Amino acid sequence: MSHTIAVYGATGHTGRHVTTELRRRGHHPLLLGRDLTTLHTLDDHPRHATVDDPDSLDRALHGADAVINTAGPFATTAGPLIDAARRAGIPYLDVAAEIEANLDTFTHHTDATTLIIPAMAFYGGLGDLLATTALDGDTHADTIHIAYGLTSWHPTPGTLASGTVSTQRRGGRRLRYTNGALHHHDDAPTTVTWPFPPPLGPREVLAEFTMADVVTLPTHLRAHHITTYMTTTAATDLANAGPRRDTPETFTVDVLIRTGTTQRRITATGQDIYAISAPLVVEATDRVLTGRTRVTHGVASAGTAFDAPDFLRSLHTHLTIHHHKPISGTPTAPFPASDRGTAPLTPSTRN
Ligand SMILES: NC(=O)c1ccc[n+]([C@@H]2O[C@H](COP(=O)([O-])OP(=O)(O)OC[C@H]3O[C@@H](n4cnc5c(N)ncnc54)[C@H](OP(=O)(O)O)[C@@H]3O)[C@@H](O)[C@H]2O)c1
């Protein structure tokens, strides 16, 4: 079924991927943004709207069935866009990977009568779908580890700007999800070797490279510790990057969940963390608009809103998913940070 779907931030790298994916699926994208000149190079009938002008947002959303916000920093854009979506009575989804902005969304819009799904993208969305799938109906775990095996990371200007805003909002401190809550800390980063499955294989990662998954997962899964990791090479790329993105990375997202001595594991591989965010958020929008959700209003993460295994299966042309058999036994290697003493036990078995 074809829908009219507004894309705010349509001039951006991710917005362009989202627009392309909407058209590929037969939807009618409404291209929205603050830069009408650039929008006109992309579409004959774009709509100008700025986040400091609610009337312009209301006009821009007229006739839309849903809105996808790809304009970051989301600290600036998410609130006004969600308010406008709520006034219009349409669902709102975004690709925000800004922990503080994601927290704001979950905190301030629980009373929404429409459905609001933040972080419906590579960071925040995919890890949630993977962890939910691996848990297979369980909602409790001792520790959840999400290791991001990126071969490189050449960020967009939007990513760099979002990182700057988030860092400022947390006063330059770091974040850790431990004992069931988010905490600020000033500990120096540590590195460990993460045993990614082939073809990536073991790689050095920065531990406690805290991503939006620490916001999305706890909204429906109870875990004492949630730790995310990033390949050191990708973290270094990010830290050193200028505003250029020439080469798409390949990614391996390795999710390891420990409950007692049982470890469950699921791995996703693919290419281009920005491009994959388009089918993630467009598939989510499709499901929202066709009633394939588990909730109908308020704020929900991907794992709450959708049938996670079915959602992942639907992305089979974009993602390869490896389900590993659960393993029980004694950990064999030292492990960092919040889950010392627990590591993947043996090489995984692919189903
Ligand atoms: N969760 C994830 O995995 C994931 C995946 C992809 C992207 N993202 C996030 O999505 C955001 C956009 O990424 P990108 O790759 O598209 O970056 P980008 O290519 O630099 O584009 C940024 C977009 O945001 C718009 N924008 C920025 N500030 C705005 C404001 N105050 N009002 C209106 N529009 C504004 C820009 O509009 P102009 O053209 O007018 O400047 C542009 O359309 C970033 O925060 C990025 O981290 C997250």
Side-chain angles (χ1 to χ4, degrees), residues 17-199:
H17 278 297
V18 168
T19 301
T20 301
E21 180 67 9
L22 287 169
R23 289 195 174 118
R24 192 185 70 76
R25 292 180 180 225
H27 295 302
H28 171 55
L30 289 178
L31 275 59
L32 274 47
R34 64 180 174 180
D35 175 0
L36 197 56
T37 306
T38 306
L39 284 169
H40 266 301
T41 67
L42 303 171
D43 190 74
D44 290 339
H45 303 288
R47 296 181 179 182
H48 180 254
T50 57
V51 292
D52 58 0
D53 181 355
D55 289 343
S56 73
L57 292 172
D58 291 346
R59 283 194 299 274
L61 292 185
H62 181 72
D65 296 311
V67 57
I68 299 173
N69 183 11
T70 64
F74 293 88
T76 307
T77 67
L81 257 295
I82 295 173
D83 289 342
R86 293 183 63 171
R87 288 193 297 274
I90 60 173
Y92 165 97
L93 300 94
D94 72 35
V95 299
E98 285 166 50
I99 290 171
E100 290 74 13
N102 295 138
L103 285 169
D104 283 346
T105 299
F106 275 102
T107 304
H108 298 312
H109 297 282
T110 51
D111 60 343
T113 54
T114 60
L115 192 50
I116 294 166
I117 306 183
M120 192 54 248
F122 180 75
Y123 295 117
L126 179 57
D128 189 16
L129 291 167
L130 290 167
T132 306
T133 298
L135 278 165
D136 193 23
D138 285 355
T139 54
H140 287 62
D142 292 335
T143 56
I144 300 177
H145 303 277
I146 303 179
Y148 288 101
L150 272 54
T151 50
S152 62
W153 186 356
H154 300 291
T156 59
T159 293
L160 294 173
S162 289
T164 300
V165 169
S166 268
T167 302
Q168 285 168 352
R169 289 188 72 180
R170 66 184 72 141
R173 306 191 73 193
R174 302 181 66 224
L175 283 171
R176 168 186 292 148
Y177 189 93
T178 188
N179 296 319
L182 260 177
H183 301 274
H184 289 102
H185 71 95
D186 296 310
D187 296 346
T190 55
T191 59
V192 291
T193 300
W194 186 274
F196 290 104

